[in-house]
Amino acid sequence: MSTKSVLRPPDAPVAPGRVSLPDRVALRVGMSLIIWSRRTRRPQIDPELRARLAREREQREAEWVILGAGLRMWR
């Protein structure tokens, strides 16, 4: 039994030997554009989520101020 029939089924299509230069260039340019667009796109955050995160941050800062003032008075 030959090695090829062991590695792949006999009815599998044979891959082409070479890819033309314009096809390789087009593939590389296309992949570069996809990667660039994913890196430069900013995630969309809805205004409600942004407002909620701001309120939570302000609440945490207020708690830290109260805690710091309480510790100063305790000393």
Side-chain angles (χ1 to χ4, degrees):
M1 185 178 271
S2 71
T3 310
K4 285 185 179 179
S5 63
V6 172
L7 295 178
R8 66 177 174 80
D11 59 343
V14 179
R18 293 178 123 333
V19 178
S20 67
L21 179 62
D23 286 342
R24 284 187 282 165
V25 170
L27 180 64
R28 180 158 301 194
V29 168
M31 291 300 294
S32 299
L33 287 173
I34 290 171
I35 291 170
W36 178 80
S37 68
R38 289 186 179 183
R39 286 183 182 167
T40 57
R41 186 172 45 201
R42 299 200 195 299
Q44 297 293 327
I45 299 177
D46 61 338
E48 294 175 7
L49 176 61
R50 187 173 298 202
R52 191 185 89 214
L53 292 174
R55 281 193 308 270
E56 290 174 358
R57 185 178 61 243
E58 290 171 0
Q59 183 180 2
R60 281 193 307 269
E61 291 173 355
E63 289 173 358
W64 278 105
V65 168
I66 292 171
L67 182 63
L71 287 174
R72 262 188 251 117
M73 287 175 34
W74 179 72
R75 277 198 237 164

